[in-house]
Amino acid sequence: MAKKPAKTPARRALVVDDEVDLADLLELTLLRMGLEVDKAHGVQEACASLDSTHYDLCLTDMRMPDGEGLEVVRHIQKKGLDVPVAVITAYGGTENAVAALKAGAFDYLAKPVSLEQLRTLVKSALRLEPAAEEEETEQLLLGQSCAIQQVLTLVDKLARSQAPVYITGESGSGKERAARLIHAKSNRAEKPFVAVNCGAIPENLMESEFFGYRKGAFTGANEDRDGFFQAASGGTLFLDEVADLPLAMQVKLLRAIQERKVRKVGATSEEPVDVRIISATHRNLAQCVEAGTFRQDLFYRLNVIEMRMPPLREMGEDILLIARSILGKLAARQGAPAPELGHEAELALQRYDFPGNVRELENILERAQALSDGVCITPDDLQLTITEREEPEITGGLDGKYPLQDYLDRVEKAVILEALEKTRFNRTQAARILGVTFRSMRYRMERLGIQ
């Protein structure tokens, strides 16, 4: 009788966090990825566990009642343990994150913890099998619509390049997800992906946050610190809301990109850096250049290849695909079955404009899940604050039909949107239905502000 092959033991992770809810969420996510999980609720308990058990991964919060996560990182380094460790920092805790990377951590997560980022981090730390890695990566952007398929095709091309990428799109349309997908598919995937919100950093701290500083460079600089560029070494630096950078910082960023060198605050020499720059903003950067708030030379450095993220309303039936995926993740987080979307709720979502895009959809569904009976989500549970796309009433009285051109534009827009919805936003097919040429269709969409 043939002997059965020995079963490969599951990899084991240690979660260190005194916040019970967050520790449980991390545990559930790791369990669903096939890992065994132990939890520790303080530094001492974590160090004891590391001394007595072999772990393949450690996730530790930065601040706990009996110490800091840095102590866990240093304990692993001191004992020579072969355990990749990542730290979880509070929002805006860049200084702690950089200190952890310097102490030996391989990556960090910012609160509130994104499960997509967590799974990407775990995949990188454990070097999961290619099939599993590809499956996790593809979940960053979902959809079968023409709009999202064009994005995915471009992502594959950009992943093979090292050129700077500039991602445009409305707030909440998934610009950071696209940047992470480019990184995950590139030859830099095993190196850090560092995301920076340029609008969230005080202007007087920008230079030290981006480039680091030397001990004694200013009051409070008690030790050398690396910045974002050093933290992203070998990987990707994602500059979100890059239009919010002040002009003085734009000059320094331009030099760093051109020379591939940075100078720490208080240092006398530059040091080389190897990072790929991906930038994004919901604002029109070309208009910012015209207005004099953004340097033209930096714009050309960042905008080597441009990629546009489509708003959710252009993605047709993908809205329901994404909604079901979000409901599944919310249910997994809570350890409960995901409620179904009722037919009327599906129609309401498909007809809604989503000014906040995927981010707004996530908020709507999280609220709806809490308000529903746990079995089926109804339109009342969705509580859509902005009404469905308005379709003009063509028959009846003359109220609202002046001026004539405005009324005709509303009618034309409603008909075009209906045709686009029927064809899942395939403009060529929609033009055929309407009996107009593709060029005429494109012109009408631009004139009416249909993206």
Side-chain angles (χ1 to χ4, degrees):
M1 186 174 178
K3 189 176 181 180
K4 292 183 179 180
K7 186 177 180 180
T8 304
R11 302 187 186 188
R12 183 176 293 273
L14 176 64
V15 173
V16 187
D17 203 313
D18 62 309
E19 295 183 38
V20 176
D21 290 344
L22 181 55
D24 289 345
L25 172 61
L26 296 175
E27 178 187 28
L28 179 61
T29 304
L30 296 176
L31 287 172
R32 289 179 177 275
M33 294 182 72
L35 280 68
E36 294 182 356
V37 182
D38 293 336
K39 291 185 290 187
H41 298 295
V43 172
Q44 299 305 317
E45 185 181 351
C47 292
S49 296
L50 287 163
D51 289 339
S52 61
T53 307
H54 170 72
Y55 292 102
D56 300 285
L57 173 68
C58 177
L59 300 175
T60 178
D61 194 12
M62 183 57 78
R63 297 197 180 279
M64 285 168 286
D66 64 340
E68 293 190 342
L70 282 177
E71 297 176 51
V72 177
V73 179
R74 293 184 181 120
H75 181 84
I76 290 172
Q77 298 300 315
K78 182 179 179 182
K79 294 284 187 175
L81 303 176
D82 185 20
V83 183
V85 55
V87 298
I88 302 169
T89 67
Y91 176 77
T94 308
E95 186 174 305
N96 285 331
V98 174
L101 293 169
K102 186 177 179 182
F106 81 95
D107 208 342
Y108 70 93
L109 290 168
K111 293 181 180 179
V113 174
S114 162
L115 296 186
E116 287 82 3
Q117 293 179 27
L118 173 61
R119 283 190 284 266
T120 301
L121 181 150
V122 173
K123 171 207 70 179
S124 176
L126 302 182
R127 298 185 180 181
L128 299 180
E129 295 300 318
E133 179 177 330
E134 184 176 347
E135 182 179 350
E136 290 293 329
T137 297
E138 293 297 344
Q139 292 299 309
L140 286 170
L141 291 176
L142 293 174
Q144 300 299 323
S145 65
C146 180
I148 201 66
Q149 287 302 313
Q150 289 176 353
V151 168
L152 292 172
T153 299
L154 185 55
V155 163
D156 287 336
K157 293 179 180 178
L158 297 180
R160 297 192 294 268
S161 167
Q162 298 297 316
V165 179
Y166 168 54
I167 305 176
T168 65
E170 298 176 6
S171 293
S173 58
K175 297 186 289 296
E176 183 173 342
R177 285 172 178 255
R180 287 186 178 277
L181 189 55
I182 293 170
H183 172 79
K185 290 190 169 190
S186 74
N187 59 5
R188 295 176 177 263
E190 294 187 2
K191 297 296 184 179
F193 177 95
V194 177
V196 180
N197 187 332
C198 298
I201 306 172
E203 185 171 350
N204 62 326
L205 297 179
M206 275 197 170
E207 186 175 1
S208 60
E209 291 289 286
F210 273 88
F211 307 134
Y213 57 82
R214 292 293 188 192
K215 179 180 179 180
F218 49 81
T219 303
N222 299 320
E223 59 182 346
D224 289 357
R225 288 286 174 87
D226 287 339
F228 296 130
F229 271 85
Q230 293 91 343
S233 179
T236 302
L237 181 60
F238 175 59
L239 304 178
D240 197 10
E241 299 303 343
V242 70
D244 292 340
L245 285 173
L247 285 168
M249 188 61 204
Q250 291 177 31
V251 176
K252 294 168 183 174
L253 179 61
L254 175 64
R255 176 173 174 79
I257 294 173
Q258 286 178 331
E259 304 298 328
R260 297 187 179 183
K261 294 179 181 179
V262 298
R263 187 195 305 272
K264 289 184 174 181
V265 176
T268 57
S269 61
E270 295 180 322
E271 56 184 283
V273 290
D274 172 28
V275 298
R276 183 184 191 180
I277 301 293
I278 300 180
S279 59
T281 179
H282 72 280
R283 296 163 63 182
N284 187 317
L285 210 53
Q287 290 181 0
C288 293
V289 172
E290 292 179 5
T293 60
F294 200 86
R295 292 181 62 94
Q296 186 177 54
D297 45 9
L298 179 57
F299 172 70
Y300 288 129
R301 280 287 176 180
L302 297 176
N303 190 23
V304 175
I305 304 173
E306 181 174 335
M307 183 170 75
R308 174 184 175 270
M309 291 302 296
L312 191 56
R313 60 183 172 274
E314 289 185 9
M315 295 172 62
E317 291 188 6
D318 283 352
I319 294 172
L320 300 183
L321 175 66
I322 296 169
R324 294 189 185 100
S325 174
I326 292 170
L327 285 173
K329 292 174 183 178
L330 290 172
R333 185 187 305 172
Q334 298 171 6
E340 295 289 332
L341 277 170
H343 179 65
E344 294 299 323
E346 289 182 342
L347 291 176
L349 288 175
Q350 286 183 300
R351 294 171 62 83
Y352 184 63
D353 273 331
F354 288 104
N357 294 293
V358 178
R359 188 179 299 129
E360 182 184 11
L361 176 60
E362 291 173 342
N363 293 337
I364 288 170
L365 292 176
E366 187 168 10
R367 180 180 63 219
Q369 186 184 43
L371 295 175
S372 73
D373 59 7
V375 177
C376 183
I377 291 177
T378 68
D380 289 340
D381 299 327
L382 295 174
Q383 291 190 347
L384 300 181
T385 54
I386 302 176
T387 57
E388 299 170 352
R389 293 183 191 137
E390 294 183 3
E391 297 183 8
E393 181 64 43
I394 301 177
T395 61
L398 296 178
D399 291 342
K401 298 185 179 179
Y402 300 109
L404 179 61
Q405 188 58 53
D406 289 350
Y407 172 70
L408 294 175
D409 285 349
R410 292 201 304 273
V411 174
E412 184 178 0
K413 185 173 183 179
V415 173
I416 290 175
L417 284 171
E418 182 180 355
L420 287 169
E421 286 180 349
K422 286 182 177 180
T423 60
R424 298 184 181 182
F425 280 81
N426 184 313
R427 291 182 294 175
T428 301
Q429 292 182 14
R432 190 176 298 119
I433 289 174
L434 295 171
V436 299
T437 65
F438 177 80
R439 179 175 295 180
S440 174
M441 177 74 168
R442 185 172 59 187
Y443 164 75
R444 291 167 186 269
M445 289 177 65
E446 290 176 353
R447 183 174 64 81
L448 297 169
I450 303 173
Q451 296 183 335

